[in-house]
C-alpha cells in the first residue's frame, strides 16, 4: 500500500511539475539542531548557530511543509539522534510526521548511535574502509559497523562523500559493502567547496575519471546513484539550485541547501541526490526506476 501511495504521488508530482509548471516542494529538510558528537575534516556545520528545536517548533514546521505540498521529509543536523526536548526524542518527531501524512521520513546520521527508528529510511555517512574513514571522521568505523550489523532496520543506505583522501578506495569499499546484507545501497556525493577549495576538493577532470569508473562499476555493486544521475554528473548539467527543495534551519528557510546563493559553489556542487531528482523530473528512465526501487524499500 505504501509503495502504491508513493508511486501515485511521484507520478502526479512529476506530471504537474512538467505540464502545469507547479513547483510545490518535494523534499523538505528539517535541521533539528547543529550539534554533533564528531569533528569530521570536511564539516563545519557545528559552527552554525542552530539550537535544538522545541518539539512544538518541529511540529509547526512539519505542518507548514505538509500544507505547501511536501510529502518527503529529511531529518538532519548536526547529528539528529542527539536531538531531544524535555521528554521528546527524535522518534516522537518521526511518528508525528507519519501521522501527519508524510510518505517518506528519512534520517541522515553519522551512524554512531543505534540505528533503531521508525523512519522509513536511514542514510549513514561512511567515507571509506576503516583507515580512510577514521582519518576523515575520527575513530568511528568500528562503532558504525557494529550499529549497522546490529540493526534490524529494513532500509539502511550509506552516504559516501568522495574527496581526495578516499577517491582511490571506492571500489574496495563497494566490494566490502556487497558483503554487508543490512546495507541496501551506497549513494555517492562529491565533496562540495562550502568552505572554499581545500585539499579535499576534486576538480572537474578528477570527478570525470571517478564518475566514469562508477558508471562502469554500477552493475557490479550496490551503487544507488542511477545511470542517468551519474551521466548527468559527468556532464555537470543538472539544474541547480533545485527550487523544489526546502531546508529549515534555526528559523531560516533556504531553497535547495543551507549554502544557497553562491553561483560558483552551485557550479561545483557535489550534492548528487539533487542530480537524481533533476533526472526524474526530466523523465530519465533509469532515474525513475531507481527512485521507484528506493521508495518501495
Ligand atoms: S550548493 Fe547550490 S546546487 Fe548545491 S545543494 Fe547548495 S544551493 Fe543546491
Amino acid at each position: 500500500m505504501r509503495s502504491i501511495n508513493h508511486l501515485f504521488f511521484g507520478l502526479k508530482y512529476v506530471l504537474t511539475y512538467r505540464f502545469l509548471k507547479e513547483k510545490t516542494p518535494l523534499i523538505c529538510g528539517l535541521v533539528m539542531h547543529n550539534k554533533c558528537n564528531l569533528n569530521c575534516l570536511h564539516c563545519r556545520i557545528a559552527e552554525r548557530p542552530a539550537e535544538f528545536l522545541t518539539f512544538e517548533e518541529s511540529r509547526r514546521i512539519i505542518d507548514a511543509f505538509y500544507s505547501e505540498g511536501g510529502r518527503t521529509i529529511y531529518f538532519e543536523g548536526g547529528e539528529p539522534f542527539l536531538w531531544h526536548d524535555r521528554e521528546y526524542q527524535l522518534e516522537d518527531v518521526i511518528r508525528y510526521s507519519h501521522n501527519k501524512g508524510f510518505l517518506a521520513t528519512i534520517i541522515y546520521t553519522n551512524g554512531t548511535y543505534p540505528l533503531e527508528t521508525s523512519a522509513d529510511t536511514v542514510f549513514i555517512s561512511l567515507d571509506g574502509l576503516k583507515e580512510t574513514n577514521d582519518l576523515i571522521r575520527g575513530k568511528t568505523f568500528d562503532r558504525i559497523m557494529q550499529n549497522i550489523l546490529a540493526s534490524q532496520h529494513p532500509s539502511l543506505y550509506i552516504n559516501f562523500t568522495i574527496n581526495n583522501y578516499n577517491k582511490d578506495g571506492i571500489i574496495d569499499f563497494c566490494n566490502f559493502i556487497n558483503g554487508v546484507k543490512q546495507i541496501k545501497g551506497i549513494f555517492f556525493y562529491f565533496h562540495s567547496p562550502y568552505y572554499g577549495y581545500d585539499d579535499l576538493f576534486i576538480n572537474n577532470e578528477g570527478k570525470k575519471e571517478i564518475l566514469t569508473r562508477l558508471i562502469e562499476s554500477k552493475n557490479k555493486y550496490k551503487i544507488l546513484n542511477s545511470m542517468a544521475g551519474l551521466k548527468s554528473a559527468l556532464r555537470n548539467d543538472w539544474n541547480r539550485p533545485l527550487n523544489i527543495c526546502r531546508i529549515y534551519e534555526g528559523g531560516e528557510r533556504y531553497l535547495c541547501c543551507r549554502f544557497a546563493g553562491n553561483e560558483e559553489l552551485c557550479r561545483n556542487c557535489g550534492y548528487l541526490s539533487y542530480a537524481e531528482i533533476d533526472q526524474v523530473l526530466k523523465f530519465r528512465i533509469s532515474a525513475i526506476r531507481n527512485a521507484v526501487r528506493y521508495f518501495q524499500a
Side-chain angles (χ1 to χ4, degrees), residues 192 194 238 240-242 255-262 265-267 269-271 274:
S192 295
Y194 298 125
W238 43 285
R240 68 204 95 156
L242 208 55
L255 209 61
C256 203
C257 90
R258 290 181 255 184
F259 301 88
N262 176 340
L265 172 62
C266 291
R267 264 198 311 281
C269 176
Y271 201 73
Y274 286 174

Side-chain angles (χ1 to χ4, degrees), residues 90 99 119 155 209-210 243 265 295:
L90 186 62
N99 290 341
S155 187
E209 246 175 66
I210 294 162
N243 57 4
L265 172 62
F295 281 113

